[in-house]
């Protein structure tokens, strides 16, 4: 940064130096011309006015007035009126010229400086809100950091204003905007207010105190940013506010501005809120962005692999199958689990590509194991997007058939949360899949939406009780719930798998409740294909007390 600054300053000095040389040489040339063409009697002295304009352009009023005086004196008492006849000018003559030069210097200097300022203003102000824009903000923040000032940046985003503008007339949006700006100006009358667009405002507040900043924001927040009346409408606004106070690590204005913007991203997207900058949140956001950026390459570079977590039937002490779980080998980069990257893949539209990869690899593996005589059931996780996607479903069914796999070898795991959307459509899809021979498991059972309705209404074969219940199974209420879920599931003909079982005590309790199967670290963590095969071949129920 220091280096850049030095280069910038010396660049400016060099430019200025060249300008001075140019103006001095021009002045020498013009005034020699005046002298050698016979004195001020001729017309050449008027060329000095160009030099005065040039000085006004380069250095403003001060520069042009200084040059005017110098030129007025050069063409004054020492310059003859007529060189050939050696006639000097009258004092009145050259004084009058000097006065004209100075007058022009002041006038042109003032006009050009004013014009420059207007141009700067156009560059530095938002064309809609007429507040200073982010160019000016970043310059001002840089200056504050350089002067070691203590300050906070408040970023205010009326997140739904763009959406609102699609449905109401422009004058309502204008009113919301201007009421907001006026209220901000009242509350932050001692601070600078900037805007990044008609829905984003930034305040640079003196002092380094999160509490004060939050109080000041709340002062105008209730009046202004939760709902606003305009033309008889009461409009609900979603306003997200982020606050970041400048610290030693912020050596550029843009850092602190970005922190305030990141802070505003916290909380529910559809709820207003005031948030202060949180390092952990930023780290997570960065990670998610990095994951989104590197996911496409992960597929192309074969960075994925599938692991298999055994599912054990505790009634006859045998491994009945496994759940396929995706892993991403990210080398030296931070580890990211499928719960995170599957979600990102869904958001950025890559989930179909990922799911196709998983189905292809798992099916190929299962076919290989079948050749070795392993007759197991493998369950594959499918997201709500995938299950609703007709073309993905038909591709997957076709792929399974083309590999001579029996539909009964596969189970589709869908999380209970899926049923909060499009329940009727899902029911018909699941009915269809089951009629073709696939079995359906309801994943994360008990944590999602309306579990009681799910168990009775959704076509399924297996209920997978979520790990949440195992973690809290020492509580009497939870124990009874687990017992009840197992009994109820059995009564309506479903098989029960308990997930996330880590201890012998948990396993024994579940066994006493009549649970059918267990998947969890007590038996095994998810395994690579080679390790799964070894585990399968060496498995003995008595090693686990079953
Ligand atoms: P899930 O379907 O609920 O998978 C069970 C998760 O619990 C797995 O985490 C598994 O490793 C973990 N687990 C199993 N037993 C235990 C235990 O005893 N203790 C503890 N602490 N953990 C246990 P994983 O592999 O990180 O998967 C997380 C989630 O990512 C899965 O939750 C599933 O929703 C999703 N997922 C994984 N692979 C895929 C995939 O290929 N496709 C899709 N759509 N989702 C996947
Ligand atoms: Ca699962």
């Amino acid at each position: 940064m220091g280096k850049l600054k030095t280069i910038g300053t010396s660049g400016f000095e060099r430019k200025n130096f060249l300008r001075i040389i140019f103006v001095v040489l021009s002045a020498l040339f013009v005034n020699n011309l005046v002298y050698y063409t016979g004195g001020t009697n001729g017309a050449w002295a008027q060329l000095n006015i160009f030099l005065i304009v040039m000085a006004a352009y380069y250095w403003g009023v001060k520069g042009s007035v200084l040059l005017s005086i110098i030129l007025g004196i050069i063409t004054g008492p020492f310059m003859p009126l007529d060189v050939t006849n050696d006639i000097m000018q009258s004092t009145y003559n050259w004084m009058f010229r000097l006065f004209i030069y100075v007058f022009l210097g002041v006038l042109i200097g003032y006009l050009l400086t004013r014009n420059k300022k207007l141009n700067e203003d156009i560059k530095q102000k938002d064309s809609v809100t007429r507040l200073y824009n982010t160019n000016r903000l970043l310059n001002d923040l840089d200056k504050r950091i350089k002067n070691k000032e203590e300050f906070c940046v408040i970023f205010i985003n009326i997140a739904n204003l763009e959406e609102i503008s699609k449905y109401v007339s422009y004058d309502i949006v204008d009113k919301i905007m201007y009421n907001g700006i006026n209220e901000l100006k009242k509350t932050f009358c001692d601070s600078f207010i900037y805007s990044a667009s008609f829905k984003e405002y930034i305040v640079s507040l003196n002092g380094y105190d999160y509490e004060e900043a939050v109080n000041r924001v709340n002062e105008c927040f209730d009046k202004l940013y939760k709902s606003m009346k305009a033309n008889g409408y009461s409009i609900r606004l979603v306003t997200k506010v982020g606050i970041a106070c400048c610290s030693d690590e912020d050596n550029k204005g843009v850092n602190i501005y970005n922190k305030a913007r990141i802070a505003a991203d916290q909380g529910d997207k559809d709820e207003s809120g005031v948030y202060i900058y949180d390092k952990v949140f930023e780290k997570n956001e960065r990670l998610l962005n990095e994951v989104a950026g590197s996911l496409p390459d992960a597929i192309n570079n074969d960075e994925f692999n599938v692991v298999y977590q055994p599912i054990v039937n505790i009634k006859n002490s045998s491994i009945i199958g496994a759940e396929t779980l995706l892993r991403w080998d990210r080398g030296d980069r931070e580890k990211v689990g499928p719960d995170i990257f599957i979600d990102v893949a869904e958001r950025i539209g890559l989930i179909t590509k990922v799911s196709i990869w998983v189905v292809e690899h798992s099916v190929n593996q299962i076919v290989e194991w079948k050749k070795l005589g392993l007759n197991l059931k493998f369950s594959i996780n499918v997201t709500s997007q995938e299950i609703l996607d007709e073309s993905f479903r038909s591709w997957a069914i076709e792929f399974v058939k083309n590999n001579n796999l029996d539909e009964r070898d596969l189970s589709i795991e869908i999380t209970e949360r899926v049923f909060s959307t499009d329940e009727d459509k899902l029911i018909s899809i699941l009915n269809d899949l089951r009629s073709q021979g696939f079995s359906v498991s309801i994943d994360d059972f008990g944590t999602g939406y309306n579990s009681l309705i799910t168990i009775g209404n959704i076509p399924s074969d297996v209920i997978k009780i979520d790990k949440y219940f195992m973690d809290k199974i020492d509580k009497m209420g939870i124990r009874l719930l687990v017992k009840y879920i197992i009994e109820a599931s059995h009564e309506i003909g479903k098989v029960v798998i308990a997930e996330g079982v880590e201890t012998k005590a948990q396993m024994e309790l579940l066994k006493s409740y009549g649970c059918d199967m267990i998947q969890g670290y007590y038996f095994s963590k998810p395994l690579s294909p080679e390790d799964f095969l070894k585990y399968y071949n060496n498995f003995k129920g008595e090693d686990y007390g079953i």
Side-chain angles (χ1 to χ4, degrees):
M1 194 190 163
K3 217 172 188 176
L4 273 177
K5 219 175 95 191
T6 328
I7 293 168
T9 317
S10 71
F12 174 75
E13 279 168 2
R14 219 177 109 229
K15 208 168 167 189
N16 218 11
F17 177 71
L18 289 177
R19 283 172 175 175
I20 292 173
I21 297 283
F22 179 64
V23 171
V24 168
L25 289 178
S26 307
L28 285 174
F29 172 74
V30 167
N31 289 290
N32 272 301
L33 192 68
V34 174
Y35 185 84
Y36 288 110
T37 51
T40 52
N41 230 355
W44 294 112
Q46 316 315 333
L47 281 178
N48 280 325
I49 292 168
F50 285 110
L51 301 181
I52 293 169
V53 174
M54 219 182 285
Y57 178 74
Y58 289 153
W59 303 296
V61 177
K62 278 187 196 159
S64 59
V65 168
L66 182 67
L67 188 75
S68 308
I69 294 171
I70 295 170
L71 292 176
I73 292 171
I74 294 176
T75 50
F78 313 108
M79 182 70 78
L81 181 71
D82 181 344
V83 177
T84 330
N85 299 313
D86 202 12
I87 305 169
M88 292 308 285
Q89 301 174 71
S90 68
T91 310
Y92 166 78
N93 191 336
W94 69 260
M95 285 283 277
F96 182 71
R97 186 181 309 105
L98 188 136
F99 170 76
I100 293 289
Y101 279 3
V102 172
F103 174 75
L104 286 176
V106 172
L107 184 71
I108 299 167
Y110 169 76
L111 289 177
L112 287 181
T113 311
R114 196 163 164 267
N115 191 40
K116 253 187 196 169
K117 202 172 168 303
L118 285 176
N119 277 339
E120 288 286 295
D121 261 13
I122 290 171
K123 271 193 228 154
Q124 295 193 349
K125 279 192 172 165
D126 186 275
S127 56
V128 182
T129 61
R130 303 305 303 149
L131 291 169
Y132 280 121
N133 61 19
T134 43
N135 283 341
R136 173 66 185 259
L137 168 78
L138 297 182
N139 275 340
D140 288 356
L141 294 182
D142 281 344
K143 273 186 211 149
R144 297 195 86 166
I145 291 174
K146 200 171 149 205
N147 298 339
K148 301 203 174 342
E149 288 178 39
E150 291 187 339
F151 66 97
C152 299
V153 171
I154 302 171
F155 178 77
I156 300 158
N157 176 21
I158 312 175
N160 63 342
L161 193 54
E162 204 165 335
E163 195 61 25
I164 291 170
S165 69
K166 291 179 196 160
Y167 303 103
V168 298
S169 61
Y170 264 121
D171 54 322
I172 294 182
V173 176
D174 272 2
K175 214 166 207 165
I176 294 174
M177 196 176 80
Y178 287 114
N179 284 353
I181 294 174
N182 286 338
E183 203 59 49
L184 276 180
K185 281 182 176 164
K186 263 190 247 159
T187 314
F188 295 102
C189 53
D190 54 346
S191 315
F192 275 108
I193 300 165
Y194 309 80
S195 67
S197 70
F198 75 110
K199 64 186 196 78
E200 291 173 325
Y201 302 90
I202 304 107
V203 180
S204 148
L205 182 72
N206 293 333
Y208 183 98
D209 185 349
Y210 274 114
E211 206 179 315
E212 198 215 320
V214 172
N215 289 340
R216 294 277 294 272
V217 171
N218 279 332
E219 237 176 75
C220 68
F221 199 70
D222 282 340
K223 284 184 239 163
L224 166 68
Y225 283 121
K226 284 187 180 161
S227 74
M228 200 177 269
K229 288 204 163 43
N231 295 7
Y233 292 97
S234 176
I235 295 171
R236 178 183 173 267
L237 301 177
V238 175
T239 306
K240 312 279 288 182
V241 182
I243 303 171
C245 290
C246 185
S247 69
D248 291 344
E249 67 185 35
D250 302 309
N251 53 7
K252 282 201 142 227
V254 68
N255 295 357
I256 178 88
Y257 172 52
N258 283 342
K259 281 183 178 176
R261 290 189 334 160
I262 289 168
D265 281 343
Q266 293 172 96
D268 192 328
K269 282 200 164 35
D270 299 321
E271 288 298 328
S272 297
V274 183
Y275 305 94
I276 58 176
Y277 171 74
D278 175 0
K279 250 187 179 162
V280 177
F281 178 78
E282 181 183 359
K283 195 168 165 260
N284 288 341
E285 286 288 292
R286 273 185 204 283
L287 180 66
L288 287 183
N289 282 337
E290 186 269 314
V291 165
S294 47
L295 253 179
D297 284 342
I299 303 174
N300 300 335
N301 300 344
D302 242 356
E303 291 172 8
F304 285 138
N305 56 74
V306 179
V307 289
Y308 301 82
Q309 187 173 30
I311 299 174
V312 178
N313 182 334
I314 51 172
K315 290 190 164 157
N316 66 8
S317 306
S318 67
I319 294 176
I320 60 101
E323 176 175 359
T324 63
L325 293 159
L326 188 56
R327 292 289 175 268
W328 181 3
D329 180 1
R330 289 170 38 89
D332 293 337
R333 289 168 294 170
E334 192 172 334
K335 280 193 168 51
V336 180
D339 45 343
I340 292 174
F341 67 77
I342 292 284
D343 191 45
V344 174
E346 267 194 296
R347 277 194 274 137
I348 63 173
L350 270 181
I351 190 65
T352 309
K353 239 178 153 186
V354 174
S355 303
I356 287 176
W357 192 96
V358 172
V359 171
E360 279 178 352
H361 281 72
S362 316
V363 166
N364 289 341
Q365 184 60 63
I366 298 165
V367 168
E368 242 178 69
W369 279 333
K370 276 207 111 177
K371 286 184 200 150
L372 298 176
L374 268 71
N375 262 320
L376 301 172
K377 195 175 203 88
F378 291 89
S379 43
I380 296 182
N381 293 285
V382 184
T383 66
S384 56
Q385 270 185 37
E386 291 318 287
I387 199 86
L388 290 166
D389 178 352
E390 153 89 68
S391 56
F392 172 75
R393 282 200 316 274
S394 33
W395 170 84
I397 293 168
E398 197 65 20
F399 189 78
V400 169
K401 282 195 180 129
N402 289 346
N403 279 281
N404 298 323
L405 219 59
D406 195 318
E407 287 81 1
R408 274 178 290 272
D409 298 331
L410 290 174
S411 176
I412 294 146
E413 283 196 16
I414 42 170
T415 167
E416 192 191 14
R417 285 182 286 274
V418 167
F419 299 102
S420 53
T421 50
D422 235 339
E423 186 170 313
D424 291 341
K425 191 162 180 212
L426 272 165
I427 290 178
S428 101
I429 290 170
L430 295 183
N431 274 329
D432 180 47
L433 288 170
R434 286 179 82 216
S435 70
Q436 297 194 47
F438 293 100
S439 73
V440 172
S441 305
I442 306 294
D443 213 357
D444 311 323
F445 184 82
T447 58
Y449 145 93
N450 235 335
S451 301
L452 280 178
I453 294 178
T454 310
I455 201 172
N457 196 29
I458 306 297
S460 63
D461 304 276
V462 178
I463 297 291
K464 292 187 84 171
I465 305 179
D466 195 75
K467 178 175 179 297
Y468 174 89
F469 292 89
M470 304 310 132
D471 293 342
K472 300 209 166 0
I473 205 142
D474 51 339
K475 292 203 165 80
M476 175 61 95
I478 299 283
R479 266 209 300 275
L480 286 175
L481 258 178
V482 170
K483 188 167 179 273
Y484 164 74
I485 292 170
I486 295 171
E487 283 169 9
S489 303
H490 283 164
E491 269 187 38
I492 49 175
K494 311 216 187 265
V495 170
V496 180
I497 300 179
E499 248 187 318
V501 175
E502 292 185 343
T503 65
K504 191 171 182 189
Q506 288 171 343
M507 187 276 291
E508 282 173 341
L509 191 68
L510 288 159
K511 197 172 177 198
S512 73
Y513 290 162
C515 180
D516 306 290
M517 291 162 205
I518 282 180
Q519 177 187 344
Y521 291 180
Y522 176 62
F523 287 106
S524 169
K525 288 194 167 178
L527 301 168
S528 65
E530 303 74 40
D531 289 342
F532 179 80
L533 192 59
K534 275 188 220 151
Y535 184 84
Y536 176 79
N537 287 331
N538 297 329
F539 181 80
K540 284 193 210 91
E542 60 257 35
D543 291 346
Y544 298 95
I546 44 173

